[in-house]
Amino acid sequence: MFGLNTECVLSDPQEYLELEDYAGRVSRWCPGCGDNGILAAVQRLCRDEQLPLEKTVFVSGIGCAARFPHYVSTYGFHGLHGRALPTAQGVKIRRPDLNVFVNMGDGDCCSIGTAHWIHAVRMNFHMVAMLHDNNIYGLTKKQVSPTTPKGWKTNTTPGGAYLNPINPVSATLGITNVSFVAQVVEWIPELLFDVIRRAYHHKGFAFIRILQRCPHFMPTGFQSLLADPNNLMLLRHDNGMKVSDDLARVYKTHEDHDPSDMNNARRLADLEDKVPIGIFYQNESIPCYDEIRRPQKMPIWQQREQLLTKSFDRFGIAQGADA
Amino acid sequence: MSPTQEAGTIQRVDQHIVEIISDSGEGAQTAGQMFGTVSAQMGNSVWTVEIIPAEVEPPARSTAGASGNRIRLGSFPITNAGNHTDIVLALNEQVLKGREAAGEFKKNAIIILENVWASSKVPGVAKAYTSTVADLRAKGYRVYEVPMEEECLKHTDNPKRGKNMFILGILCRVYSRELAYARKAIAAKFKKKGQPVIDANVKLLEAGFEYAGGHLDFRFDVTPMESTEPQVVMNGNTAIALGVVASGMDVCAMYPITPATSASHYLSEIFDECGGVVHQAEDEIAAAAFAIGASYAGKCAVTITSGPGMALKTELMGLAVMGEVPLVLVNVQRGGPSTGLPTKVEQGDLLAALFGTHGDAPKIIMAPATIEDCFYSIITARKIAETFRTLVIVLSDANLATGQQMFPRPKFKKEWLAPPIDQSPVDPSHPPFDWDEKTGLSQRHIPGQPGGMYALTGLAHDRESHVAYEPGINQQGCRYRSLKLAAFQKTLKTPKVHGDPEGDLLIVGWGSTKGSIEEAVDTMSSKGHKVSSLHLTFLQPMASGIKEIMQKFKQVVTVEINYSDDPNDELIDDDNRRYSNLCLLLRARYLVDVDCWSHVHGQPIKPEEVEQMIERRLGAR
Ligand SMILES: Cc1ncc(C[n+]2csc(CCOP(=O)(O)OP(=O)(O)O)c2C)c(N)n1
Ligand code: SF4
């Protein structure tokens, strides 16, 4: 394995890990913050998949959402605003054996980190990226975000946001090499969990936009979706997600959508009257950067010595023309 | 006919500077590099400097478009680019003009010039050519007009592509170089293009050699240097790339920027043979983040850049310091600010490296002084970064990056490589920042290590890496991170004074200026001046004993390639004078009245300029 010799790790037969085993510090998110629901779903995934604590890394940027790594008991990297994705790629290139998750806010991903987001999709590292989209800047206290709906009042747009928001799903679907795109809301735990689970099992860069309530700064955010479940549209398909009967009863708007159908995925992403949730697109045939760039050989010292010898020969000064 | 049989006409010299210049694309750089290599193979010490126009395709026959190579060869160890050119080979008179105007040529330098322009039908060209030649002759240069195109046409139908080999042939005759070496160099260079291309080039080489034999009445002999050790010759960026390999690092993240990029080119060519990856990120910020992620997940990674790139990386530099993630950042400095002088040399980033990051971000800064140092400093930097869990910045510059120099072939040592990483389960009594009270050092946990789980954060944190806002905790964290520098500093040796340990003037320098400074100091000492020099490899922290050294001299002056105010300017006085980078640091640290002499011409500092400065300060004797 690249870089590190994992053979020497003494691994005890793991005991079954319970949910509590994945709990990190006590969350300091506001009461009712949707981030809590995302955390719960992710912890459940860890438990269900029995992810080894030491082999799992949550990488984040800066923002409320980005506190995530502190609230799980695995390894974590709480880095810089907007820079979570390249940091996570660095982790993954050296350690393809690790489960890498990325948690970003909407400012984090779609504003300061936009370049990284586009290139992360294109590079297609095998990891799960979660965009906690609360349509607002939480940590810095209610400034307009690239996903804030037009007209919404924020501290930097007291007269109402003047630009149309970015649509992270259609944007991602437009990027070369896109491999997995889903959208879900944090307040339907069953679906949230299912989407994250599917993302986890996807081979490649799995991008999930999770609509996340921020009761503190957007108390009325996503109101229409909460008030009338029919404004959400469940995407279901035999190749996609199956929706339980209970859910189907509550959320009556469904659409059969095969996640291999890019054209329909794009059409759905651009719908104005409904918010589709589920898997928009999935394609596992795209090569992962961490696979195509992963060197095949172990970097042992003999190889280094040989390589240096070869290079020094190349730049060496032969003493005598025939030498 | 062996060229050495022409003795009698041969003038012995202990060093010479040769310059080959042309429009870009005419191969002057290749010819120059080959001549440097051949000279080194024949036992001369060499230092070559690329002459690079700022644009990729500057207009043909333009003064600013000069592209080529300057080779200094000698029978003693050559440590810098030297002063003035002895022989110039030029493919048109315009590229010559700019170099001449910049004062690069010796007074009575020999100029070997392509004369096809004299008969040009393009309006103005012939006139420009003849008037320039007349002008040069009037100034005292010995101009030899050579019908290169005409001569080359006897052997090829496209002389545009072959003149450089013809020139190489001329030089081989003038300096009595064995053609066998040049033939070998040609064969190596055009290996991929096949035998016919090699043969055609060799033919032109021989034609140049023959032509010079029949038409040029001067020969020089630069006596070979005695060397017992095998030598290699390469430029600083290649040395950095090989240093990365030798250090055991296996992730290099970068974003292209002149003059740093070529380090990643050679590395890209060879790195995966030993399990390494060069990652070209979407920008410098991503490159630094990527390197930090890789370092966090195991062993130290490197990111290579130049000034503007380092500026972008500053926030991540702070993260590496705060999170105590080992990181090697190589900054091949170029002229600044902004995009400044992309291809030209400057040492303007020392203070930016030191203070560019916000907040208190203690880091280690070192600067290679030679091309050999470029290789070894990366090995050292990796070691320090991991041992002290910190950011190490290596400040190279454009001078080292593209210059070629010989140095003893390194003998590989296993200890250069990063040791295997301990991934055994973490003792639960060791938190991730288990700072030692006295040194600030702690053991690093990496993902995969059972029991060591923690969330690294760039926010102020306690020993458990828990975000902590309590004022006492931040004070502690800052203290420990700073103490590491002190602990490291205790391992540094006092640098050695070049020359007498006391005297009238001490010159302090850093980085690529070492060779020029020491050569000037030697020259001036031999004339009876009491001058010495001190060269600093570690700029932060600095070794002990520097103050004591400085106190033994009546005056201390730094010589640097970064801006400082001229005290003779009308508005400049003690209250507002801005000092050059190192000077400011020395004044602040040691409370010694250090003065500075610096310029930002975008050129390496010539020994002669330092000599003149010494003379001004000490008076002629
Ligand atoms: C370079 C930089 N610029 C600005 C900030 C300040 N900042 C911290 S979090 C944040 C935005 C948070 O919003 P979002 O990413 O949507 O995450 P949320 O807090 O809503 O989860 C900003 C602008 C920063 N930390 N770093
Ligand atoms: S400000 Fe909003 S996003 Fe941040 S913790 Fe509070 S509710 Fe959650």
Side-chain angles (χ1 to χ4, degrees):
Chain A
M1 204 273 314
F2 180 40
L4 299 177
N5 183 0
T6 45
E7 314 312 336
C8 65
V9 176
L10 306 166
S11 55
D12 298 324
Q14 287 276 334
E15 277 178 32
Y16 185 81
L17 293 165
E18 305 287 351
L19 264 185
E20 307 87 84
D21 293 319
Y22 292 96
R25 303 210 82 201
V26 177
S27 129
R28 301 268 290 269
W29 288 313
C30 308
C33 175
D35 285 332
N36 288 300
I38 302 173
L39 176 65
V42 169
Q43 284 170 335
R44 192 181 143 201
L45 173 88
C46 293
R47 193 264 324 264
D48 284 10
E49 301 290 340
Q50 284 294 295
L51 300 186
L53 299 173
E54 71 276 11
K55 290 264 186 169
T56 305
V57 186
F58 287 87
V59 182
S60 68
I62 288 290
C64 294
R67 290 297 171 105
F68 202 99
H70 292 282
Y71 305 148
V72 282
S73 57
T74 64
Y75 278 95
F77 193 116
H78 175 208
L80 292 180
H81 192 37
R83 317 302 171 198
L85 287 168
T87 312
Q89 293 167 346
V91 172
K92 193 73 187 175
I93 192 90
R94 190 185 291 292
R95 300 293 302 276
D97 61 314
L98 298 176
N99 302 300
V100 177
F101 296 86
V102 184
N103 299 88
M104 301 169 285
D106 36 310
D108 223 14
C109 176
C110 310
S111 197
I112 191 168
T114 314
H116 308 317
W117 163 36
I118 290 182
H119 287 278
V121 173
R122 177 171 160 255
M123 288 177 204
N124 196 33
F125 274 85
H126 184 181
M127 57 175 72
V128 177
M130 288 170 264
L131 163 57
H132 301 223
D133 191 351
N134 55 9
N135 289 184
I136 195 80
Y137 281 23
L139 196 77
T140 44
K141 301 187 167 61
K142 201 179 182 179
Q143 295 83 21
V144 70
S145 128
T147 58
T148 305
K150 195 168 173 178
W152 278 71
K153 291 190 165 63
T154 76
N155 287 334
T156 45
T157 56
Y162 28 78
L163 292 176
N164 279 322
I166 273 185
N167 178 340
V169 172
S170 46
T172 307
L173 285 170
I175 301 169
T176 312
N177 284 347
V178 60
S179 169
F180 181 102
V181 184
Q183 174 162 266
V184 67
V185 298
E186 125 291 297
W187 58 88
I188 313 178
E190 185 183 332
L191 216 57
L192 174 66
F193 170 76
D194 223 26
V195 168
I196 295 177
R197 192 177 56 84
R198 295 288 300 237
Y200 169 74
H201 286 289
H202 173 78
K203 187 179 88 52
F205 184 76
F207 179 83
I208 318 171
R209 179 195 192 197
I210 307 172
L211 302 185
Q212 172 235 325
R213 287 166 297 175
C214 169
H216 203 87
F217 293 120
M218 290 289 262
T220 55
F222 308 122
Q223 207 170 29
S224 70
L225 302 183
L226 287 153
D228 182 358
N230 288 327
N231 285 333
L232 290 169
M233 175 197 277
L234 302 193
L235 303 180
R236 53 201 294 191
H237 196 268
D238 287 347
N239 299 335
M241 289 206 316
K242 311 197 180 34
V243 172
S244 72
D245 292 346
D246 283 353
L247 270 184
R249 259 193 301 277
V250 182
Y251 299 89
K252 295 208 168 53
T253 324
H254 309 150
E255 165 140 342
D256 268 344
H257 167 60
D258 180 347
S260 66
D261 182 349
M262 175 59 99
N263 285 334
N264 200 42
R266 288 191 174 141
R267 182 188 65 79
L268 288 167
D270 289 337
L271 286 185
E272 302 234 323
D273 52 335
K274 299 268 185 247
V275 174
I277 51 179
I279 300 173
F280 281 69
Y281 185 67
Q282 180 163 22
N283 177 358
E284 292 203 303
S285 70
I286 293 164
C288 293
Y289 190 103
D290 37 330
E291 269 176 22
I292 46 183
R293 296 286 287 135
R294 189 189 310 163
Q296 297 308 311
K297 292 178 194 157
M298 274 274 290
I300 46 176
W301 68 265
Q302 285 98 333
Q303 272 176 8
R304 296 268 160 159
E305 183 173 26
Q306 271 168 23
L307 186 56
L308 286 171
T309 305
K310 210 165 91 184
S311 292
F312 289 139
D313 286 348
R314 172 163 162 186
F315 297 106
I317 293 164
Q319 306 288 336
D322 304 318
Chain B
M1 177 180 55
S2 157
T4 41
Q5 286 165 359
E6 293 172 43
T9 55
I10 296 181
Q11 189 186 337
R12 257 177 225 296
V13 288
D14 68 347
Q15 62 158 313
H16 238 210
I17 300 180
V18 180
E19 197 165 304
I20 307 178
I21 40 178
S22 67
D23 288 337
S24 66
E26 291 186 298
Q29 291 191 359
T30 305
Q33 275 158 14
M34 285 187 184
F35 181 63
T37 309
V38 169
S39 296
Q41 282 169 337
M42 293 203 57
N44 286 137
S45 175
V46 293
W47 183 290
T48 74
V49 181
E50 281 179 17
I51 299 163
I52 313 171
E55 293 129 76
V56 175
E57 284 277 0
R61 289 176 48 79
S62 67
T63 323
S67 162
N69 217 308
R70 191 171 185 269
I71 310 102
R72 184 184 183 197
L73 44 152
S75 29
F76 54 90
I78 301 280
T79 61
N80 65 84
N83 295 319
H84 300 282
T85 303
D86 294 282
I87 298 194
V88 189
L89 293 97
L91 290 185
N92 70 61
E93 81 292 348
Q94 293 300 316
V95 291
L96 209 64
K97 270 168 74 177
R99 303 283 301 161
E100 200 278 328
E104 294 293 344
F105 303 157
K106 215 171 236 168
K107 257 205 176 105
N108 52 355
I110 294 173
I111 296 174
I112 300 173
L113 181 59
E114 157 73 294
N115 76 351
V116 68
W117 314 106
S119 49
S120 171
K121 303 215 166 46
V122 182
V125 167
K127 217 170 119 197
Y129 175 84
T130 29
S131 77
T132 305
V133 170
D135 189 40
L136 290 167
R137 289 210 166 107
K139 284 180 173 160
Y141 298 108
R142 290 160 63 194
V143 184
Y144 290 76
E145 296 178 80
V146 176
M148 296 187 197
E149 185 137 336
E150 195 183 316
E151 290 296 323
C152 289
L153 272 171
K154 295 178 186 166
H155 309 278
T156 171
D157 20 324
N158 184 3
K160 280 241 145 35
R161 314 211 104 233
K163 282 183 198 173
N164 61 339
M165 292 299 116
F166 186 80
I167 283 180
L168 183 62
I170 293 181
L171 280 173
C172 284
R173 175 61 72 114
V174 169
Y175 288 96
S176 311
R177 313 274 85 148
E178 300 267 3
L179 278 189
Y181 289 107
R183 287 197 196 98
K184 278 203 103 169
I186 290 172
K189 170 85 189 170
F190 300 108
K191 200 165 87 190
K192 287 192 192 130
K193 299 202 169 158
Q195 198 57 39
V197 175
I198 296 175
D199 293 344
N201 278 287
V202 166
K203 219 176 232 152
L204 289 163
L205 169 86
E206 290 165 353
F209 191 83
E210 284 310 314
Y211 179 90
H215 296 83
L216 300 179
D217 57 357
F218 50 85
R219 300 278 183 280
F220 298 97
D221 177 33
V222 188
T223 322
M225 201 176 68
E226 303 271 314
S227 90
T228 45
E229 278 179 287
Q231 305 279 317
V232 286
V233 61
M234 63 182 76
N235 67 32
N237 275 355
T238 308
I240 285 173
L242 288 175
V244 170
V245 175
S247 73
M249 289 191 280
D250 46 23
V251 172
C252 168
M254 47 70 70
Y255 185 78
I257 183 165
T258 307
T261 323
S262 67
S264 59
H265 292 173
Y266 186 61
L267 202 55
S268 304
E269 204 180 308
I270 60 171
F271 214 18
D272 38 348
E273 283 179 48
C274 69
V277 167
V278 175
H279 172 67
Q280 180 174 328
E282 57 271 27
D283 58 31
E284 280 89 351
I285 297 176
F290 191 96
I292 288 178
S295 284
Y296 161 78
K299 65 182 163 184
C300 187
V302 59
T303 178
I304 300 180
T305 190
S306 188
M310 187 176 80
L312 284 180
K313 290 174 200 279
T314 51
E315 195 192 9
L316 281 141
M317 284 156 55
L319 176 62
V321 171
M322 190 62 146
E324 305 193 41
V325 183
L327 178 68
V328 174
L329 187 157
V330 181
N331 175 358
V332 184
Q333 300 166 93
R334 63 192 219 171
S338 186
T339 34
L341 300 168
T343 58
K344 304 281 192 278
V345 67
E346 196 174 298
Q347 300 179 300
D349 299 347
L350 175 54
L351 295 179
L354 198 51
F355 301 120
T357 323
H358 61 285
D360 186 58
K363 58 188 89 73
I364 288 160
I365 301 175
M366 57 191 293
T370 62
I371 286 163
E372 183 177 15
D373 272 1
C374 287
F375 175 75
Y376 289 106
S377 60
I378 303 295
I379 302 171
T380 313
R382 196 277 303 154
K383 224 171 215 163
I384 299 169
E386 281 188 347
T387 312
F388 292 87
R389 288 184 74 166
T390 191
L391 165 63
V392 180
I393 299 179
V394 179
L395 291 176
S396 176
D397 65 35
N399 205 4
L400 296 170
T402 57
Q404 300 208 52
Q405 190 192 13
M406 284 164 82
F407 60 92
R409 180 179 169 127
K411 291 185 196 69
F412 177 77
K413 290 198 186 72
K414 249 158 85 173
E415 305 86 81
W416 288 350
L417 301 180
I421 293 168
D422 179 10
Q423 286 191 85
S424 51
V426 173
D427 172 350
S429 66
H430 281 301
F433 294 96
D434 191 14
W435 294 302
D436 177 74
E437 202 43 51
K438 222 163 86 186
T439 61
L441 290 168
S442 53
Q443 273 284 318
R444 194 157 62 100
H445 309 173
I446 57 165
Q449 265 188 296
M453 287 78 69
Y454 75 108
L456 182 141
T457 177
L459 289 168
H461 52 265
D462 61 16
R463 285 169 183 270
E464 263 75 33
S465 197
H466 293 160
V467 177
Y469 298 111
E470 295 83 343
I473 290 183
N474 188 46
Q475 176 76 27
Q476 263 188 15
C478 286
R479 172 170 168 267
Y480 289 128
R481 288 188 294 274
S482 186
L483 274 179
K484 291 196 295 184
L485 251 59
F488 168 68
Q489 193 267 353
K490 294 290 176 208
T491 69
L492 293 179
K493 283 202 200 104
T494 307
K496 269 218 179 81
V497 177
H498 179 82
D500 285 337
E502 53 182 54
D504 295 332
L505 175 65
L506 177 74
I507 296 177
V508 190
W510 65 283
S512 70
T513 52
K514 183 179 185 188
S516 292
I517 293 174
E518 292 187 351
E519 191 169 317
V521 164
D522 290 345
T523 309
M524 296 311 274
S525 309
S526 70
K527 290 184 182 166
H529 289 287
K530 288 187 179 329
V531 56
S532 305
S533 65
L534 183 72
H535 214 74
L536 304 184
T537 303
F538 285 95
L539 285 318
Q540 154 105 337
M542 286 185 192
S544 305
I546 291 171
K547 181 169 186 168
E548 291 71 18
I549 293 173
M550 291 196 291
Q551 281 168 336
K552 296 217 169 78
F553 290 84
K554 290 190 189 135
Q555 294 182 54
V556 182
V557 180
T558 65
V559 167
E560 299 176 71
I561 316 181
N562 55 65
Y563 187 76
S564 61
D565 282 329
D566 180 348
N568 297 319
D569 276 352
E570 199 181 324
L571 283 182
I572 302 302
D573 53 39
D574 280 353
D575 291 333
N576 63 16
R577 181 170 178 205
R578 293 174 63 244
Y579 293 94
S580 56
N581 283 212
L582 176 63
C583 180
L584 185 72
L585 277 185
L586 293 177
R587 292 174 70 88
R589 176 169 290 283
Y590 300 110
L591 299 178
V592 170
D593 191 10
V594 182
D595 199 352
C596 54
W597 178 85
S598 73
H599 71 46
V600 286
H601 299 172
Q603 299 297 324
I605 286 180
K606 293 179 165 49
E608 185 186 272
E609 295 170 305
V610 182
E611 286 160 27
Q612 286 157 4
M613 186 273 293
I614 296 172
E615 192 137 348
R616 278 198 303 279
R617 278 176 202 261
L618 297 180
R621 199 162 293 192

